[in-house]
């Protein structure tokens, strides 16, 4: 199978430790599902592409929105997350859903063209974002809608503990740093709205608009911190205990009760249409 120029990200999302750690944190991405789906305004019968679908939370939500006659294809380059997505959809008994293991940056999807594409935090890791969004556009009908969620800057998302962990690490990895807006692949690369706006325009999208959303999500502590993050951030084993203690003490301010934390989130929902 051919993959694009983003081998590093593909390896990260296929790493068993990173992928299983992400499963414990994905409550964060699911906190954006309702707003994403509202904005996407899917209707029964539509054909939908879910980009970077991961374990499929938005794929399933989209499938429910287009049922009974619509179809949804989830594309992701992570085998472990796609396996989890298949299980999620089977457990829900949802019809009309299929998955493709491919790099969304370059892949032509067999079931194209789609009426709409959605992505829940799945468009933040491309090597060449303009090329990737142009490729997404080619999978859509003329006028087809694209809707995606992304994080506002790291400073507006205090649940993001990677900068704290970095004090114990030597890595300059983008995930660790919370990648400044406009820089390489990473969760906060679209924190500056000027960046995705330009990318979407350069990739041939029109009617570009953005909703800024702030919300508090009640989630277990593992949504903000999982020990697999030590690996991602590059915290050496001898400093792991110290780093974990610092995170636990920092997150205490958000604890609601027991293992429930009220995490303040700041994200954006972008929408655009293919020219
Ligand atoms: C932050 S996770 C979001 C996953 C899922 N959408 C969710 O809401 O839980 C990002 C996802 O995008 C996928 N991804 C990143 N770049 C990709 C690419 N170029 N092609 C396909 N999948 C990609 C990753 O494998 C991962 O599953």
């Amino acid at each position: 199978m051919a993959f694009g120029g983003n081998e590093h990200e593909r390896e990260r999302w296929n790493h068993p430790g990173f992928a299983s750690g992400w499963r414990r944190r994905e409550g964060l991405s699911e906190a954006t599902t309702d707003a994403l789906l509202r904005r996407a305004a899917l209707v029964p019968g539509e054909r939908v592409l879910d980009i970077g679908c991961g374990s499929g939370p938005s794929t399933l939500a989209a499938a429910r929105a287009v049922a009974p006659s619509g179809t949804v294809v989830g594309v992701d380059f992570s085998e472990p997350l796609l396996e989890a997505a298949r299980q999620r959809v089977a457990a829900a008994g949802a019809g009309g859903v299929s998955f493709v293991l491919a790099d969304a940056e370059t892949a032509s999807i067999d079931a194209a063209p789609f009426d709409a594409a959605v992505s829940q935090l799945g468009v933040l890791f491309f090597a060449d974002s303009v090329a990737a969004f142009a490729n997404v556009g080619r999978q859509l009908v003329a006028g087809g809608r694209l809707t995606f969620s992304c994080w506002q800057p790291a400073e507006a998302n205090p649940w993001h503990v990677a900068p704290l962990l970095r004090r114990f690490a030597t890595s300059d990895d983008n995930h660790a740093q919370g990648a400044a807006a406009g820089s390489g692949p990473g969760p906060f690369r679209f924190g500056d709205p000027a960046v995705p706006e330009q990318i979407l325009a350069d990739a041939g999208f029109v009617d570009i608009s953005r909703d800024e959303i702030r919300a508090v999500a009640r989630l277990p502590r593992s949504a903000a911190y999982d020990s697999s993050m030590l690996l991602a951030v590059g915290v050496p084993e001898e400093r792991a205990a110290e780093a974990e203690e610092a995170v636990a003490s920092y997150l205490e301010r958000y604890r609601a009760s027991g293992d429930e934390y009220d995490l303040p989130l700041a994200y954006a929902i972008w929408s655009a249409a293919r020219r």
Side-chain angles (χ1 to χ4, degrees), residues 21 24-26 28 159 161 217-227 229 243-263:
R24 289 187 281 277
R25 295 199 299 283
E26 70 192 359
L28 283 170
W159 52 265
V161 297
R218 181 159 290 191
L219 293 166
R221 192 170 71 121
S222 58
Y225 174 76
D226 174 81
S227 58
M229 288 174 75
E244 295 209 339
E245 207 179 299
V247 169
S249 134
Y250 170 75
L251 288 175
E252 208 41 44
R253 73 200 67 189
Y254 299 116
R255 192 205 287 260
S257 65
D259 187 34
E260 293 194 314
Y261 289 71
D262 284 341
L263 302 176

Side-chain angles (χ1 to χ4, degrees), residues 81-97:
L81 292 179
L82 274 192
E83 182 48 36
R86 287 189 192 96
Q87 286 172 19
R88 181 194 293 270
V89 167
V97 181

Side-chain angles (χ1 to χ4, degrees), residues 6 9 13 22 26 29-30 50-58 75-78 81 102-105 119-123 125-126:
N6 215 354
E9 285 298 328
W13 291 101
W22 168 252
E26 70 192 359
S29 69
E30 291 186 63
D50 185 5
I51 305 151
C53 64
S55 77
S58 48
V75 59
D76 204 290
F77 60 13
S78 166
L81 292 179
D103 187 339
E105 185 159 347
S119 182
Q120 187 164 282
L121 305 171
V123 291
F125 308 94
F126 296 133

